[in-house]
Structure formats: structure tokens, C-alpha cells
């Protein structure tokens, strides 16, 4: 209390915290150091761009943050949970519950339509509440409400990436990891995708985006 006014200081919640993290690939007698002693904190609700040229370790770092790969050494806490101590089953459950992925190459299933591609991650999560109506709603959110029955080959690159963004939201994750999400798109479509990501961040999603483009 000061002058009769109560002053409260709220602790900042950290989504991602890595400390002295390294990743080394061994190829025969040769060792390739992809990440060398990296430390990083990302507050909850933040929007961070990891930048650098091709081959600088950006995607390797994102894969580790997304629990798709393990570090050679170092510590990684995701919302306070020690990730490096988890087994494969625990990591899979954590990904399904908390993390949405957006890929440069879209990674859509060609024989599934928009709604079916959006629903795909939820099919791996037994407790998922996603249904057809919610998948259609996600398609509407990313501007594809009139394309729900289209398959990937019937969509433009920008539309396919919008499907990828909707898919990343299918389990209502707290965190979105985007690996060069505009790398295959023209400048106009890039702006539209970045606006979508900005809107998601404004709605509370923590976003880490990897890119080589300023």
C-alpha cells in the first residue's frame, strides 16, 4: 500500500522457456551443431518472430519447441512443465492438447476436403470436442466458408494455407508454431495471412513464427 492505494504486481506467465539448449546431429564422424547454447523466454500471449537465413537452425528450434524433436542438452519448460523428461506418449498428448502447427508446404491430405483436413488433428485426440459444425466455423473464420467441400488441388496456395491455419486451431491450442507460413505465397496473400495471425494473437494465442523475410 502507498498513500492509501493498493499496488499489485502480477507475475508474468511464461509459455516457453529454454535454457542452454543445444542440438547436435552426428553424421558418422562429423558433428553438425544446429543449435548452440540457446536460451529464450516467450511470455504468454506474445508474438515472436525467429529470424535468420536458411540453415541457421530456425526450424530445428521450432521442432524442439513443438515437441517433435529432442535437444541434445539443455532444459525446456512449456507452461512450467519439464518437456525433456517426458516420454513419447506424453509428448504426443502435450502436442495434441496445447500446440497448433502451421507449415510452409501446407501438408494437407489431397483426398480430404477442407473440413476433413481441418478436423484431422482432432482425430488423434480422444477427448477432442471438435465436430463438423466447429470445423465449418473454423473454415469461416479463415475466409473459406464457401469452400468447405473443396479439396486442396481445387484451392490456391493462399487458400491452402488458410486451411492449414484453421487446422492448427482445431484443438483450440494455447500456442501456435508457424514455420515459414508465407514462404510460398505472393506479397498480397502474405499480408492476408499475417493479418490472420495477428488477429489470432489479439485473441490470446501465443505465436512463434519462423521466417527469413523481414
Amino acid at each position: 500500500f502507498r498513500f492509501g492505494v493498493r499496488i499489485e504486481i502480477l507475475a508474468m506467465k511464461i509459455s516457453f522457456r529454454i535454457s542452454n539448449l543445444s542440438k547436435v546431429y552426428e553424421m558418422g564422424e562429423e558433428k553438425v551443431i544446429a543449435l548452440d547454447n540457446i536460451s529464450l523466454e516467450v511470455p504468454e500471449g506474445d508474438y515472436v518472430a525467429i529470424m535468420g537465413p536458411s540453415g541457421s537452425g530456425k526450424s530445428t528450434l521450432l521442432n524442439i519447441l513443438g515437441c517433435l524433436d529432442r535437444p541434445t542438452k539443455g532444459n525446456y519448460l512449456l507452461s512450467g512443465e519439464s518437456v525433456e523428461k517426458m516420454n513419447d506418449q506424453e509428448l504426443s498428448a502435450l502436442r495434441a492438447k496445447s500446440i497448433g502447427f502451421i507449415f510452409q508446404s501446407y501438408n494437407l491430405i489431397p483426398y480430404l476436403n477442407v473440413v476433413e483436413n481441418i478436423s484431422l488433428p482432432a482425430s488423434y485426440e480422444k477427448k477432442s470436442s471438435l465436430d463438423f459444425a466447429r470445423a465449418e466455423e473454423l473454415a469461416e473464420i479463415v475466409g473459406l466458408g464457401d469452400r468447405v467441400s473443396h479439396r486442396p488441388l481445387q484451392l490456391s496456395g493462399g487458400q491452402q494455407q488458410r486451411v492449414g491455419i484453421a487446422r492448427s486451431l482445431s484443438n483450440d491450442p494455447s500456442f501456435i508454431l508457424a514455420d515459414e507460413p508465407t514462404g510460398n505465397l505472393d506479397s498480397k496473400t502474405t499480408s492476408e495471412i499475417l493479418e490472420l495471425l495477428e488477429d489470432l494473437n489479439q485473441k490470446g494465442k501465443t505465436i512463434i513464427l519462423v521466417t527469413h523475410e523481414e
Side-chain angles (χ1 to χ4, degrees):
F1 293 88
R2 180 178 295 176
F3 305 117
V5 178
R6 184 178 180 183
I7 300 174
E8 292 186 71
I9 300 177
L10 299 177
M12 180 176 60
K13 293 183 178 179
I14 302 297
S15 295
F16 299 89
R17 176 182 280 126
I18 59 174
S19 305
N20 307 117
L21 186 142
S22 296
K23 179 66 177 181
V24 180
Y25 295 100
E26 295 191 13
M27 301 178 176
E29 297 182 357
E30 183 182 2
K31 292 185 177 181
V32 177
I33 301 174
L35 300 172
D36 187 11
N37 205 38
I38 303 293
S39 295
L40 172 70
E41 289 186 352
V42 180
E44 186 177 284
D46 210 346
Y47 186 172
V48 173
I50 298 174
M51 300 186 67
S54 297
S56 60
K58 304 186 302 299
S59 294
T60 299
L61 177 58
L62 205 69
N63 286 339
I64 291 174
L65 293 177
C67 305
L68 295 171
D69 198 1
R70 297 177 183 270
T72 304
K73 66 175 184 177
N75 302 112
Y76 174 25
L77 297 178
L78 178 60
S79 293
E81 295 187 67
S82 183
V83 173
E84 73 272 5
K85 296 179 181 179
M86 295 182 179
N87 60 37
D88 289 344
Q89 186 174 358
E90 291 170 329
L91 288 175
S92 179
L94 183 61
R95 285 194 303 269
K97 179 182 72 173
S98 300
I99 302 172
F101 296 92
I102 304 172
F103 305 97
Q104 177 180 357
S105 56
Y106 320 135
N107 288 1
L108 304 180
I109 306 300
Y111 55 83
L112 299 182
N113 65 28
V114 166
V115 168
E116 291 166 338
N117 267 289
I118 291 172
S119 304
L120 193 61
S123 68
Y124 303 124
E125 176 58 45
K126 294 180 180 179
K127 297 180 180 179
S128 175
S129 60
L130 184 76
D131 56 19
F132 186 80
R134 175 55 179 164
E136 281 195 321
E137 183 182 341
L138 289 172
E140 188 74 38
I141 288 172
V142 299
L144 293 175
D146 59 344
R147 297 285 192 275
V148 292
S149 62
H150 286 55
R151 295 183 178 181
L153 290 179
Q154 297 171 305
L155 302 172
S156 68
Q159 290 171 332
Q160 290 185 57
Q161 190 58 291
R162 287 171 184 270
V163 178
I165 292 173
R167 180 185 56 194
S168 77
L169 301 173
S170 63
N171 283 333
D172 193 24
S174 300
F175 318 114
I176 295 177
L177 304 181
D179 192 359
E180 299 279 6
T182 61
N184 291 331
L185 305 176
D186 58 63
S187 57
K188 180 179 182 296
T189 309
T190 291
S191 296
E192 293 171 351
I193 295 300
L194 291 178
E195 285 178 11
L196 267 176
L197 293 176
E198 177 71 22
D199 184 57
L200 292 172
N201 177 244
Q202 292 296 320
K203 292 176 179 176
K205 303 296 183 185
T206 304
I207 299 177
I208 297 183
L209 179 149
V210 156
T211 182
H212 64 274
E213 299 181 40
E214 292 189 15

